[in-house]
Amino acid sequence: MAQMRLYNTMTRRVEEFAPADGRTARMYTCGPTVYNPAHLGNFRTFLFEDLLRRVLRLAGHDVLQVMNLTDVDDKIIKRAAEQRATIGQVTEPVVETFHADRKFLRIEDAEEYPKATEHIPEMIALVESLVERGLAYQAEDGSVYFAIGKFDGYGKLSRLDTREIRTGARVAQDDYTKENAQDFALWKSAKPEDEAAAAAWDSPWGRGRPGWHLECSAMAMKYLGKTMDIHCGGVDLVFPHHEDEIAQSEGATGAEFARFWCHGEFLLTDGSKMAKRIGNVATVAELREQGVSAAAFRHFVFSTHYRKQLNLSGDAIEASIEGVRRVRDFVERLETATGGTAELAEAGKELVRDAEAALFDDLNAPAALGALFTFIRRANAELDKRGNDAGALRSAREAFARINGVLDIVPDAQQADDELAAWVDERLAARKDARARRDFASADAIRAEIEARGVAIEDGPWGTRWKLAR
Ligand code: AMP
Ligand code: ZN
């Protein structure tokens, strides 16, 4: 078992990490709110968590990861009202898209994907125990609130200045600012729009629905017990979401909720936080349309440490496309080589040593990428020598596979997928028709449309041929 270090938001320090039971790292990663397809900012956080689970395994630990799907909350109900639909009708297709996008980006499956709507009894039980302990109360509006003034540790994760805590004042919405640290809703009494969207359940406090924070506490403790090893999310979740999760969970059990709190920084576009409401959003669908591979996007994300902000730009993506093309070329050479040199084996050893040291030191993926590219340069030079040491070649291949098993940045072979191929064929047929009609403007527009998807076309005596430009 290798020693690993992780930054813990609770202590604001990098600390040595090992699972409490010495074997399985139990982690909870706050999942998407499924009212809209997740954007690339969300996926930066999910990729940081994918990196974490792969590094935990590299260090010799088993992993039990739970990622919830928030399928009832303020935003989903608002969306359902707009569409005159139920929350289930809003969330079902979005959950499907989430898994498809996640698989495209090679994000490994978590062990559990619990949905909030399927854990209402657990949530009600948690509220009941908080009421019994005097930490929660039903207000005149029928909703049940958490009394932050009664819980000693309130604010310890986000280091709220106690002056900012306003005991007695109440906030019903799921998301609010530090300036508004108030008693927050655990269970919200049902409004007509909740009933209309099928987002209301019976409870000891009448018809109602859970608050967002409550959902995570109940599901985390159901699957991971009172104390988990690592709780993750993006930095925006530190307050109020994770602060409130701690209050609810520790208030009910008296046990420490999470030993480590790990937060990933934001993906920005043009310098501001990517968020749906700003509209500067890119999605996995857009990446795919632009022919950006999963390998290239992973390379882009892992080029910056997870605790630093990362700016999404065309230039950075282009550089990553070029970077993983070199990886692909190298892998083809490594696969077809028949032997190596002693120095090749040595380069492989150094790759494993340096990349592991980097990854175990608070997931330093940029340094691990650096080690990988150094290895590629050295190994290419050694392969030029056409050595005949089969054992050296094998150990270089193993070294590469070990580190790439974490980063996962080899693009698929340069083949168009069937969907793209069918589309190109259809467009080329349309272009041929346009030319036959002597409608050259349309023909040129179609050519531009095809090229915009990274496909180069070439007219010749044999007709038109095409290939992927990158
Ligand atoms: P949500 O669907 O809004 O609950 O967010 C899902 C996850 O994405 C959470 O862990 C958020 O902290 C994270 N997140 C939201 N916006 C960004 C962003 N621009 N960059 C990185 N992570 C983000
Ligand atoms: Zn959560």
Side-chain angles (χ1 to χ4, degrees):
M1 223 83 81
Q3 184 57 61
M4 240 183 103
R5 287 147 45 88
L6 283 175
Y7 181 83
N8 187 349
T9 308
M10 185 62 90
T11 59
R12 305 287 197 275
R13 277 200 308 269
V14 177
E15 296 173 18
E16 297 202 337
F17 172 82
D21 70 2
R23 184 187 169 90
T24 304
R26 308 160 81 78
M27 63 182 210
Y28 188 88
T29 48
C30 288
T33 305
V34 282
Y35 73 110
N36 245 358
H39 56 66
L40 296 182
N42 302 134
F43 278 110
R44 182 191 184 194
T45 293
F46 303 145
L47 279 166
F48 139 63
E49 293 157 353
D50 182 60
L51 177 69
L52 173 57
R53 61 174 282 138
R54 292 183 193 226
V55 171
L56 285 164
R57 281 213 314 270
L58 189 70
H61 308 304
D62 291 341
V63 173
L64 170 56
Q65 180 190 359
V66 178
M67 177 174 278
N68 66 293
L69 301 171
T70 299
D71 62 351
V72 48
D73 95 320
D74 297 353
K75 287 180 290 212
I76 296 169
I77 291 165
K78 187 159 167 269
R79 179 60 46 89
E82 286 161 10
Q83 298 178 356
R84 297 174 178 278
T86 63
I87 53 170
Q89 286 166 329
V90 169
T91 60
E92 207 177 298
V94 182
V95 170
E96 247 171 62
T97 305
F98 167 67
H99 285 301
D101 288 353
R102 178 178 72 69
K103 291 199 168 114
F104 172 76
L105 290 178
R106 306 178 177 176
I107 294 174
E108 291 185 348
D109 292 353
E111 282 62 34
E112 300 282 351
Y113 288 101
K115 288 183 178 160
T117 53
E118 291 169 5
H119 296 79
I120 302 294
E122 287 86 347
M123 295 171 199
I124 291 175
L126 181 54
V127 179
E128 280 182 313
S129 83
L130 290 170
V131 172
E132 267 163 37
R133 289 173 163 244
L135 291 169
Y137 60 93
Q138 187 169 26
E140 310 79 67
D141 62 1
S143 296
V144 182
Y145 290 86
F146 187 94
I148 59 173
K150 300 244 169 87
F151 178 70
D152 272 347
Y154 196 79
K156 66 181 174 181
L157 179 68
S158 53
R159 309 226 166 149
L160 273 191
D161 182 333
T162 43
R163 277 168 314 170
E164 284 169 332
I165 298 183
R166 295 166 56 190
T167 50
R170 279 178 220 125
V171 51
Q173 81 255 30
D174 285 329
D175 220 350
Y176 52 91
T177 62
K178 281 191 188 183
E179 292 67 46
N180 289 306
Q182 303 172 1
D183 289 359
F184 60 90
L186 298 166
W187 183 262
K188 308 183 191 201
S189 66
K191 299 200 191 93
E193 56 268 34
D194 301 333
E195 295 286 1
W201 291 265
D202 289 326
S203 83
W205 315 281
R207 301 276 295 167
R209 64 174 172 102
W212 170 37
H213 318 301
L214 182 76
E215 298 175 8
C216 280
S217 283
M219 292 187 281
M221 291 196 288
K222 168 164 181 179
Y223 292 94
L224 300 171
K226 289 179 190 170
T227 303
M228 72 180 87
D229 290 305
I230 310 175
H231 197 311
C232 306
V235 280
D236 58 330
L237 298 190
V238 173
F239 187 88
H241 187 54
H242 289 164
E243 198 68 68
D244 290 354
E245 281 191 41
I246 291 171
Q248 299 161 151
S249 310
E250 300 190 358
T253 67
E256 183 184 31
F257 182 45
R259 299 172 55 235
F260 277 72
W261 288 88
C262 298
H263 293 98
E265 252 299 345
F266 271 133
L267 177 69
L268 313 177
T269 40
D270 306 322
S272 52
K273 173 193 163 198
M274 176 176 292
K276 284 153 206 159
R277 75 195 112 83
I278 303 176
N280 57 355
V281 176
T283 58
V284 170
E286 282 161 351
L287 273 190
R288 298 180 76 156
E289 271 163 32
Q290 289 163 30
V292 180
S293 65
F297 191 69
R298 293 178 71 94
H299 177 279
F300 162 69
V301 167
F302 295 151
S303 296
T304 296
H305 190 262
Y306 77 93
R307 285 195 290 119
K308 292 212 176 88
Q309 294 188 335
L310 168 63
N311 203 43
L312 180 68
S313 72
D315 285 352
I317 294 286
E318 288 299 335
S320 288
I321 289 171
E322 177 55 25
V324 298
R325 196 187 54 69
R326 278 170 54 207
V327 178
R328 170 84 245 160
D329 291 348
F330 171 70
V331 167
E332 274 162 19
R333 270 196 94 181
L334 200 60
E335 277 168 1
T336 50
T338 51
T341 57
E343 290 76 12
L344 178 67
E346 185 55 30
K349 247 189 232 147
E350 285 175 24
L351 164 65
V352 171
R353 183 195 66 201
D354 296 347
E356 288 193 352
L359 293 168
F360 294 151
D361 182 15
D362 195 26
L363 314 182
N364 193 341
L369 277 174
L372 190 75
F373 279 92
T374 300
F375 167 71
I376 290 176
R377 245 187 331 271
R378 288 179 63 188
N380 270 326
E382 291 306 318
L383 290 172
D384 287 343
K385 296 180 187 161
R386 300 181 174 281
N388 53 17
D389 184 339
L393 178 62
R394 191 173 343 108
S395 79
R397 284 176 179 158
E398 282 166 8
F400 177 84
R402 183 166 175 84
I403 300 310
N404 186 60
V406 172
L407 300 169
D408 209 348
I409 55 162
V410 182
D412 293 330
Q414 299 269 1
Q415 287 162 355
D417 59 46
D418 294 349
E419 202 185 321
L420 180 66
W423 179 83
V424 173
D425 289 343
E426 182 276 320
R427 290 282 76 198
L428 284 179
R431 178 167 170 267
K432 198 170 163 202
D433 288 349
R435 295 174 96 188
R437 292 195 307 272
R438 307 191 66 74
D439 178 0
F440 296 113
S442 299
D444 286 349
I446 293 172
R447 179 189 197 111
E449 198 189 335
I450 294 173
E451 285 172 351
R453 287 187 68 173
V455 174
I457 62 182
E458 199 187 353
D459 295 311
W462 54 81
T464 302
R465 292 211 277 207
W466 64 272
K467 63 174 197 247
L468 285 181
R470 56 183 175 212

